[in-house]
Amino acid sequence: MDRIFYSQLAQQSLSGQELDNATCGRILSDALLEILPLLDAAYQVRKTYFGKEVRVHILNNAQNGHCQEDCHYCAQAKSSKADIEEYGIKSDEEILKEARQAYSKGASCYCMVFAGRAASESRIERLKRVLSQIKSEFPNKEICVSTGFVTNDGAVQLKKAGLDRLNHNLNTSESHYPNICTTHTFEDRLNTVLAAKSAGLKVCSGMIVGMGEEHVDIIDVAKRLRSLKAESIPVNLLVPIEGNLLAPEDSKLTPDFILRVLCLFRFLNPTAEIRVAAGRELHLRSMEVMALYPANSLFLQGYLNAKGASNARTLRMIADAGFSIKSEVDLNDLLKENVPQEDVVQCGSTAALKNLKELRPAL
């Protein structure tokens, strides 16, 4: 393939041009497009806006289970038979302690996730109190909250309380959405993203790849997020959890394809924080480090219910590739603190679930 094509991809992205659907389709499926020059083209865009910096996020599963939605990919869904550790909402002090731990471990953003359909008035009041406590101690640190559907008024209240980002993933395209959830619609999710935008919050919204969608669905989500000007885009890869409606064999992801997806999201959303999110260790395997060339963000300490790579392995991967982290904590100091340990992530067919200590490290 002529190298001019790859440089044109980077130039179009940097100039703000939206790639047409035919070009997007080629990025995802054309075997004649070589992965290394494709990654290099995406890296030219990433480097322009983010240099060699990696933004680290740490999740706090503030409530586990007790959800009445039937999202087929989620271990907390009412339709899942996954063997998770269920508990109610953590105390304010426990959440604050976990925020301290997250920032001390190099996180640039602390992410609180609450199960359930929507943020009730009482939950909004609770969140306002917790946000105030965290911001009083860490005024310059970012906080992201995921708490189901949020109204326009709720988003405004959270913004005033100090919230920086609201997370609400689109997850898949509008046409494919009925195949992965029946208790709410794509429009319900989109309305929450629009409420966040209207309130002046940064938007964290992405998708889950590997849920039986077509290439056109991936392109649709990437372009929809571009039109929404989402500041942060997590690209999740279906985590195969035993007991979920979406069975492990339903996901047929390869490292090559995942890297193509990340490149596509970078070309279409050049200034956004692109996060290689859940499932990166399981699906990218030996190619995991290559994701840092289109993506500029990742998670430490695993995901909501699934374990991830050890902090030591992830931080060493970042350093070995010549990248730094966006943090007041020096990466070299973190590497000294995080001694090598046996990795919990295997390349098998199902993910390992977190135990209670991993879900509630502040106890």
Side-chain angles (χ1 to χ4, degrees), residues 220-238:
D220 180 77
V221 175
K223 288 196 171 187
R224 177 85 68 152
L225 293 169
R226 176 189 176 93
S227 70
L228 290 167
K229 296 181 173 59
E231 290 87 353
S232 178
I233 301 177
V235 179
N236 298 283
L237 314 166
L238 180 64

Side-chain angles (χ1 to χ4, degrees), residues 4-275:
I4 294 176
F5 175 79
Y6 301 103
S7 63
Q8 287 176 338
L9 288 175
Q11 290 166 12
Q12 282 184 264
S13 180
L14 289 169
S15 66
Q17 297 179 54
E18 182 178 301
L19 303 182
D20 60 44
N21 284 357
T23 301
C24 293
R26 287 192 65 196
I27 291 170
L28 293 178
S29 62
D30 189 345
L32 294 178
L33 292 184
E34 300 174 69
I35 193 61
L36 288 180
L38 192 63
L39 285 168
D40 180 63
Y43 177 63
Q44 299 311 311
V45 182
R46 178 234 204 269
K47 185 171 65 173
T48 298
Y49 295 105
F50 300 100
K52 300 200 75 175
E53 188 176 76
V54 177
R55 298 184 179 184
V56 173
H57 294 241
I58 292 179
L59 282 171
N60 167 17
N61 200 351
Q63 175 191 352
N64 205 28
H66 309 291
C67 185
Q68 292 307 303
E69 302 302 289
D70 77 340
C71 306
H72 300 351
Y73 51 83
C74 184
Q76 299 186 57
K78 67 176 184 179
S79 53
S80 175
K81 294 181 173 57
D83 186 20
I84 63 172
E85 297 276 1
E86 291 191 316
Y87 51 83
I89 297 178
K90 296 174 179 177
S91 68
D92 292 7
E93 182 58 30
E94 186 177 353
I95 291 173
L96 181 58
K97 284 181 179 179
E98 290 188 9
R100 292 177 186 138
Q101 291 176 353
Y103 295 136
S104 70
K105 290 177 181 177
S108 64
C109 188
Y110 173 57
C111 311
M112 289 183 283
V113 182
F114 296 81
R117 178 180 177 83
S120 62
E121 290 185 17
S122 61
R123 180 170 294 185
I124 292 290
E125 289 302 315
R126 173 80 184 278
L127 278 168
K128 287 163 60 178
R129 185 174 72 241
V130 171
L131 287 167
S132 177
Q133 291 172 341
I134 297 174
K135 278 296 184 180
S136 66
E137 189 167 338
F138 302 99
N140 300 317
K141 297 292 189 180
E142 278 200 321
I143 307 173
C144 181
V145 164
S146 177
T147 183
F149 305 130
V150 176
T151 63
N152 290 339
D153 178 64
V156 169
Q157 290 189 61
L158 292 175
K159 170 69 174 177
K160 289 180 178 178
L163 183 64
D164 300 291
R165 295 182 181 184
L166 185 75
N167 167 261
H168 203 70
N169 293 328
L170 296 183
N171 285 329
T172 194
S173 70
E174 185 169 8
S175 61
H176 188 57
Y177 206 84
N179 297 316
I180 67 164
C181 183
T182 64
T183 50
H184 62 262
T185 67
F186 179 89
E187 185 178 13
D188 291 329
R189 303 193 77 86
L190 180 60
N191 286 340
T192 288
V193 174
L194 293 173
K197 295 291 290 186
S198 177
L201 288 164
K202 293 180 182 178
V203 165
C204 175
S205 185
M207 80 173 299
I208 304 172
V209 182
M211 299 193 295
E213 71 282 341
E214 303 292 337
H215 290 177
V216 66
D217 297 305
I218 297 173
I219 296 167
D220 180 77
V221 175
K223 288 196 171 187
R224 177 85 68 152
L225 293 169
R226 176 189 176 93
S227 70
L228 290 167
K229 296 181 173 59
E231 290 87 353
S232 178
I233 301 177
V235 179
N236 298 283
L237 314 166
L238 180 64
V239 177
I241 293 176
E242 201 67 52
N244 284 358
L245 287 183
L246 279 176
E249 58 267 20
D250 291 342
S251 177
K252 298 179 176 64
L253 300 175
T254 66
D256 177 83
F257 181 69
I258 293 164
L259 293 173
R260 288 171 180 266
V261 170
L262 291 170
C263 288
L264 176 68
F265 270 84
R266 174 55 68 201
F267 291 135
L268 288 174
N269 299 275
T271 63
E273 176 183 348
I274 305 294
R275 188 171 316 112

